[in-house]
Amino acid sequence: MSWGTELWDQFDNLEKHTQWGIDFLDKYAKFVKERLEIEQNYAKQLRNLVKKFCPKRSAKDEEPRFTSCLSFYNILNELNDYAGQREVVAEEIGHRVYAEIMRYSNDIKGERKSHLHEGRKAQQYLDMCLKQMDNSKRKFERECREAEKAQQSYERLDNDTNATKSDVEKAKQQLHLRTHMADESKNEYAAQLQNYNAEQHKHFYIVIPQVYKHLQEMDERRTIKLSECYKGFADAERKVIPIISKCLEGMVQAAKSVDERRDSQIVVDCFKSGFEPPGDFPFEDYSQHIYRTVSDGTISTPKQESLKPDPRMTVGKAKGKLWLFGKKPKGPALEDFSHLPPEQRRKRLQQRIDELSRELQKEMDQKDALNKMKDVYEKNPQMGDPGSLHPKIAETTSNIERLRMEIHKNEGWLSEVEGKVSQRSERRHSAEANHLVAQGRESPEGSYTEDANQEGRVQPQHHAHPEFDDEFDDDEPLPAIGHCKSLYPFDGNNEGTLAMKEGEVLYIIEEDKGDGWTRARKQNGEEGYVPTSYIEITLEKNSKGAVTYI
């Protein structure tokens, strides 16, 4: 099958067909370009989506590390990788398909133009040969008619008896001339006819088939190129399928990593204050000033001057805001985190110790490296001056000492917090035991025994949580159990706190219960809570800071 033999007379249709092929090629190139833009926009929108929902660096450090959040962030990372693969697809389509097809389209347009020009040129040459043959034919025909006329004229004069001899001779010469010209025209026509037939045979059997063959090969290459582009388009997608599958598998694994029990434990770790639950309110006996006759059927309560209700445990005081259940005092963040609840303070201190330990290890590694470099310089002076490393070594040594002091200081605070938390736990168990004993001593009628020995064994209850309120208008001020000297100034802007200056002496009326705050009183009678780490405390040995409740 060849266009040259089968379609020898379809030059115009072949011209139209090849033009349609190029137009279809350009149409597919336009399709690829739009698909390329879709992939690029899709990848860009995916990356913008990931950037929008990814946490900022600062916020991510402060955000609780819930497994559901971590899973979502992993999914975002996988989605970002997926967007990168869409970019790879777009880049592959752009280079292997779109750029190649545009280059081939330009080449094939030039090749088609050249082949069609060659075909038109051959057709023009054949038309020129046909025209020359036709001219020689008409000339031969014309000369033959003129020769016939000359012969007829000669024959008429020759038969005419009235014609002169000169007229007959002249007609005879004219006949010979016309006959000679007719013979020349005949020879020329025969030559032109032979030449045209040869050119026509060459045109339709050699030149045109060759031109059409080139056009056929060009069109077949165009078809093959389209097939390759179709395959390359699919290969661009196929190449990224393994990585995309890994991205999707990563998303599935991220979904499986969600642990609801772990998230619940993280909530506990994040918000656990370390405080003990509030203790029971003590019984406040207002009938102790009523004198009654003691009888066998009456149970009396002995009068004790030391029984004073704890102002912090009264119902009126319960209306104040507790740190545990109310608003946490807002103030400047302290270096020892004493403004935080015990459990949170312990975690923050441990976190800081770990960070300082990592910095210390880094500085020690740097110091070892500098010392090794110094030894190399001392052994090989041409490599460098050992003295140039002394400032850096001194700076590193200073940093190491500073970090060690910081670690020691924070470890001291951590030991203090852990010791107080353990003491509070022991006091809690003791308070629960005393609560059970007190319930066992209660009579069915709701009264208490009059055994003074048993009353003396009742342990004082310590309320574990100080209240941060501004109500310190007790009927009688609490007795001082010691005094303290402030080491640092404290502004006392928060509700229930007491402002103090550096070096100021205060009275201690209630010890630190493990929450980092001590209740104190100024010389003018103003009371409030101050940070324990800000003061130096001296307790009186014979003082009794606790109140015995019945």
Side-chain angles (χ1 to χ4, degrees):
M1 180 193 66
S2 174
W3 288 4
T5 56
E6 303 291 339
L7 304 175
W8 61 272
D9 58 344
Q10 299 296 322
F11 182 85
D12 294 338
N13 288 330
L14 290 179
E15 181 180 7
K16 293 178 181 179
H17 172 73
T18 53
Q19 182 61 44
W20 171 86
I22 293 177
D23 293 340
F24 183 79
L25 191 67
D26 293 339
K27 182 179 180 180
Y28 180 71
K30 184 178 180 182
F31 162 78
V32 173
K33 181 179 180 182
E34 292 185 3
R35 172 64 188 277
L36 173 65
E37 293 174 352
I38 290 174
E39 288 290 345
Q40 291 174 342
N41 293 333
Y42 180 49
K44 182 178 180 181
Q45 290 176 1
L46 284 179
R47 288 196 182 276
N48 291 337
L49 181 66
V50 171
K51 183 178 180 181
K52 178 180 178 180
F53 285 93
C54 269
K56 300 297 185 293
R57 185 174 299 274
S58 59
K60 187 175 182 181
D61 296 338
E62 299 174 358
E63 187 174 14
R65 308 305 293 167
F66 295 107
T67 58
S68 56
C69 295
L70 293 175
S71 177
F72 178 63
Y73 298 151
N74 290 335
I75 289 176
L76 290 178
N77 291 333
E78 296 294 344
L79 185 61
N80 191 59
D81 295 340
Y82 177 82
Q85 295 308 306
R86 303 319 307 177
E87 291 176 345
V88 171
V89 171
E91 184 178 358
E92 189 75 9
I93 292 175
H95 285 82
R96 289 193 55 185
V97 181
Y98 181 71
E100 181 67 18
I101 205 168
M102 290 302 296
R103 181 192 64 79
Y104 184 76
S105 177
N106 293 329
D107 294 343
I108 200 174
K109 287 176 182 178
E111 183 180 358
R112 173 181 175 272
K113 183 178 179 180
S114 174
H115 293 327
L116 293 179
H117 177 72
E118 184 179 354
R120 291 192 183 95
K121 184 178 179 181
Q123 186 65 41
Q124 291 174 359
Y125 179 73
L126 183 63
D127 293 341
M128 182 188 70
C129 292
L130 177 62
K131 186 177 181 180
Q132 290 177 354
M133 184 203 70
D134 190 56
N135 291 335
S136 63
K137 179 181 178 181
R138 287 196 295 268
K139 181 180 179 182
F140 173 58
E141 182 181 5
R142 186 174 59 253
E143 292 297 332
C144 288
R145 286 197 299 266
E146 292 294 331
E148 290 178 357
K149 290 180 181 180
Q151 184 177 5
Q152 292 175 1
S153 178
Y154 171 72
E155 291 178 353
R156 187 180 69 251
L157 291 176
D158 186 44
N159 295 326
D160 189 0
T161 57
N162 297 323
T164 61
K165 186 176 180 180
S166 61
D167 292 336
V168 174
E169 191 64 27
K170 185 177 181 181
K172 184 177 180 181
Q173 292 178 358
Q174 185 68 24
L175 175 61
H176 287 305
L177 178 62
R178 290 297 178 182
T179 303
H180 179 70
M181 292 178 65
D183 290 339
E184 289 182 354
S185 298
K186 179 180 178 181
N187 293 333
E188 182 181 358
Y189 167 65
Q192 291 294 335
L193 179 61
Q194 185 179 3
N195 179 64
Y196 174 76
N197 290 332
E199 292 296 334
Q200 179 177 256
H201 184 276
K202 180 181 178 181
H203 176 81
F204 287 109
Y205 288 93
I206 298 176
V207 178
I208 288 299
Q210 189 71 19
V211 172
Y212 287 3
K213 179 183 178 181
H214 292 160
L215 289 175
Q216 181 180 358
E217 292 175 352
M218 179 196 71
D219 192 70
E220 289 176 353
R221 289 199 308 272
R222 176 191 63 82
T223 305
I224 294 174
K225 178 60 67 175
L226 281 173
S227 176
E228 293 176 352
C229 290
Y230 296 159
K231 185 176 180 297
F233 199 95
D235 289 341
E237 291 278 354
R238 185 183 300 170
K239 284 183 179 180
V240 300
I241 286 178
I243 302 179
I244 290 178
S245 298
K246 291 182 180 179
C247 294
L248 298 177
E249 183 64 26
M251 294 181 185
V252 174
Q253 294 298 327
K256 292 180 179 179
S257 66
V258 176
D259 187 353
E260 67 279 2
R261 302 296 299 175
R262 184 179 176 185
D263 284 356
S264 298
Q265 184 60 41
I266 291 176
V267 174
V268 173
D269 295 339
C270 289
F271 302 112
K272 183 179 179 181
S273 65
F275 291 129
E276 300 293 338
D280 296 338
F281 280 93
F283 175 76
E284 302 178 14
D285 190 2
Y286 295 101
S287 64
Q288 58 183 341
H289 297 292
I290 302 176
Y291 298 94
R292 294 181 297 177
T293 303
V294 179
S295 61
D296 294 339
T298 306
I299 299 177
S300 64
T301 302
K303 180 180 179 181
Q304 297 182 8
E305 296 297 334
S306 61
L307 292 180
K308 296 180 181 179
D310 189 349
R312 299 185 298 111
M313 307 302 291
T314 60
V315 177
K317 290 297 175 181
K319 298 179 181 178
K321 295 179 180 179
L322 294 175
W323 184 353
L324 181 60
F325 301 104
K327 295 181 178 179
K328 184 177 178 181
K330 296 181 180 179
L334 303 177
E335 183 183 6
D336 59 351
F337 301 113
S338 58
H339 62 288
L340 297 175
E343 185 67 21
Q344 300 301 320
R345 182 186 180 193
R346 182 185 66 80
K347 291 182 179 180
R348 293 293 294 274
L349 287 173
Q350 185 63 51
Q351 181 181 0
R352 179 188 286 174
I353 290 173
D354 294 340
E355 293 175 356
L356 292 174
S357 299
R358 288 192 292 269
E359 293 182 11
L360 177 62
Q361 185 62 40
K362 184 178 179 181
E363 292 291 338
M364 293 178 66
D365 294 342
Q366 184 176 0
K367 183 179 179 182
D368 293 341
L370 291 172
N371 287 330
K372 290 180 181 179
M373 187 180 297
K374 179 181 177 183
D375 294 340
V376 172
Y377 286 175
E378 289 176 350
K379 294 178 182 180
N380 302 286
Q382 66 275 10
M383 297 182 65
D385 182 15
S388 62
L389 300 177
H390 289 167
K392 188 64 177 177
I393 294 176
E395 180 183 357
T396 306
T397 304
S398 176
N399 292 336
I400 291 175
E401 293 299 325
R402 176 181 58 80
L403 291 172
R404 284 176 176 172
M405 292 178 62
E406 288 290 332
I407 293 175
H408 180 71
K409 180 170 63 175
N410 284 272
E411 286 178 345
W413 289 334
L414 181 62
S415 301
E416 176 187 353
V417 174
E418 291 177 344
K420 290 183 179 180
V421 169
S422 61
Q423 293 175 5
R424 291 176 63 81
S425 178
E426 294 176 359
R427 288 202 301 269
R428 179 182 180 185
H429 294 307
S430 177
E432 291 177 353
N434 293 335
H435 181 67
L436 295 175
V437 171
Q439 288 180 344
R441 292 173 54 240
E442 190 174 3
S443 63
E445 292 80 5
S447 60
Y448 294 89
T449 179
E450 60 181 356
D451 189 351
N453 294 329
Q454 291 183 1
E455 293 177 357
R457 289 196 297 271
V458 177
Q459 298 297 327
Q461 295 181 353
H462 297 275
H463 195 276
H465 308 287
E467 302 173 1
F468 285 84
D469 57 10
D470 55 357
E471 299 180 7
F472 293 100
D473 50 348
D474 302 337
D475 295 336
E476 293 184 14
L478 294 176
I481 61 175
H483 64 276
C484 67
K485 182 180 180 181
S486 62
L487 302 177
Y488 311 101
F490 181 65
D491 52 12
N493 292 333
N494 297 313
E495 183 180 16
T497 58
L498 181 65
M500 62 181 181
K501 301 178 181 179
E502 184 178 356
E504 186 176 0
V505 178
L506 308 174
Y507 293 108
I508 302 298
I509 59 177
E510 186 177 301
E511 293 185 69
D512 185 355
K513 302 301 182 182
D515 51 13
W517 295 88
T518 300
R519 189 173 179 181
R521 182 193 302 131
K522 285 188 174 183
Q523 302 289 343
N524 58 4
E526 184 181 359
E527 296 181 3
Y529 289 93
V530 296
T532 306
S533 59
Y534 277 44
I535 57 177
E536 181 180 1
I537 302 175
T538 303
L539 298 177
E540 298 179 5
K541 296 182 180 180
N542 298 328
S543 62
K544 296 181 180 180
V547 179
T548 303
Y549 300 101
I550 298 177

